[in-house]
Amino acid sequence: IAAPEVHVRVYDADLFSADDFLGEARFPLAGLSAQESEAALTGEGAKGSVFAFAGPPKLLQEKGIKPWTGYEGVAPMGKQKPWNVAEEAAIPMLVGGAPMPANLRGIFWLSDQKNRSALVSMGGPSRDGGGCSTGRFQGNRYSVRVNGDRVWSFADKNDGVLDFVQTIDLVYHFVYDCAENPKKCQIVPEARALNIAWRHEWLLDFEMELEEGGDEKYPGSVIWRRPSYVLGKMVYEYALVQVVDEQGSRIQPAWDEFVAYQKSAVAGGTPGVILYREIDLST
């Protein structure tokens, strides 16, 4: 290449669609150095500029810039472990806490999932890497690896869905309406192993909406509704019910309802036992 360039394209905070293009800029590679170079954004309606510099990795540290964790490589999946929900010992999953918003802290039951998903946590940081379960928002976004480190559990290992999400290394990106007190969320699934994110909301759309005021069936628990749409029509809905608070204490009566459900035949072939993964750093 006679005159190589660095080509920068800028989008808004929604990284999963290409319909919010803000502008682009070009930097001749030969002209980049440790000193910042500025280039104005170009394109229809473009405003502002971007800065670029080049140097060894320590240059980021010298300038006080932390690389986005989404560029980290994701760790190998942890070992799958069983846990009996009737045990009184501490729950072996990460518990969501500050600085996450109050209505996302603790651990949530993915209710009425039969022999599939059981518990999910927005806790962190996990050992997954790759921007997953960091314990804090990136802007208004949060990412959870379904086969991640102590953040998701399943009811039955014989369910084919578990094998599928393991094969594609499914990651859910939760894009909230705001970072301080979120009430709505768009969920974007990504097959991390295939480097494919689902962008076609008109066809398949996963959403989440806070049940303000909670549900009288579960006093003291935060409730999120989780509708799914196909071609704009709702085809399924369930509730995320907070069963553990940010201190790790079980919330009643929601916890007992969860335990009773997991012990029932509808939860699969291992009643009362859920499966989670944990990455062991000693191996």
Side-chain angles (χ1 to χ4, degrees):
I1 303 175
E5 295 180 320
V6 175
H7 187 188
V8 180
R9 306 194 81 193
V10 182
Y11 296 85
D12 72 0
D14 179 5
L15 302 181
F16 306 106
S17 62
D19 58 355
D20 301 312
F21 176 62
L22 302 180
E24 59 186 327
R26 298 173 184 268
F27 296 89
L29 191 59
L32 289 178
S33 69
Q35 300 299 316
E36 293 181 349
S37 299
E38 181 179 7
L41 290 175
T42 61
E44 183 178 354
K47 296 180 180 180
S49 58
V50 294
F51 296 85
F53 57 86
K58 67 178 182 179
L59 188 59
L60 292 174
Q61 184 176 1
E62 292 172 358
K63 291 180 175 289
I65 299 174
K66 295 182 179 180
W68 182 46
T69 56
Y71 290 119
E72 297 173 348
V74 69
M77 292 178 192
K79 181 180 179 181
Q80 191 176 81
K81 298 181 178 182
W83 186 70
N84 192 315
V85 298
E87 291 185 20
E88 296 184 1
I91 301 165
M93 293 179 65
L94 297 177
V95 178
M100 292 294 287
N103 56 22
L104 291 171
R105 298 176 189 174
I107 298 175
F108 289 79
W109 169 31
L110 297 97
S111 65
D112 198 29
Q113 293 294 289
K114 298 182 180 179
N115 63 338
R116 298 183 178 178
S117 296
L119 295 175
V120 63
S121 170
M122 300 289 173
S126 74
R127 300 161 184 158
D128 289 301
C132 296
S133 296
T134 60
R136 61 180 63 244
F137 274 6
Q138 295 279 352
N140 64 332
R141 298 171 52 247
Y142 196 77
S143 300
V144 177
R145 189 185 193 189
V146 175
N147 271 283
D149 175 44
R150 299 164 293 155
V151 293
W152 200 289
S153 70
F154 286 88
D156 192 345
K157 67 180 179 180
N158 294 320
D159 177 35
V161 171
L162 192 152
D163 294 333
F164 175 71
V165 298
Q166 176 180 339
T167 298
I168 67 172
D169 199 357
L170 179 62
V171 173
Y172 283 128
H173 301 280
F174 297 83
V175 185
Y176 292 91
D177 56 345
C178 76
E180 293 75 27
N181 185 28
K183 296 181 179 180
K184 293 185 178 181
C185 176
Q186 183 70 49
I187 303 172
V188 181
E190 177 197 359
R192 182 64 62 96
L194 305 176
N195 195 29
I196 297 174
W198 184 260
R199 301 179 175 90
H200 308 292
E201 294 172 18
W202 62 270
L203 179 58
L204 181 63
D205 183 14
F206 298 150
E207 297 186 7
M208 203 164 83
E209 184 169 351
L210 181 67
E211 185 76 24
E212 296 193 60
D215 186 327
E216 62 181 13
K217 184 179 179 182
Y218 303 110
S221 294
V222 176
I223 309 293
W224 288 85
R225 299 294 173 188
R226 248 293 288 120
S228 298
Y229 300 86
V230 174
L231 294 173
K233 181 179 180 180
M234 189 172 73
V235 295
Y236 185 60
E237 183 182 61
Y238 64 92
L240 273 75
V241 181
Q242 186 191 33
V243 292
V244 175
D245 65 21
E246 62 182 297
Q247 281 78 41
S249 300
R250 294 158 172 82
I251 301 173
Q252 298 294 358
W255 178 262
D256 283 351
E257 287 275 345
F258 160 70
V259 171
Y261 186 89
Q262 297 307 136
K263 284 184 173 181
S264 70
V266 73
T270 55
V273 175
I274 60 174
L275 303 164
Y276 70 100
R277 290 186 180 273
E278 182 173 9
I279 295 175
D280 185 353
L281 297 180
S282 66
T283 58

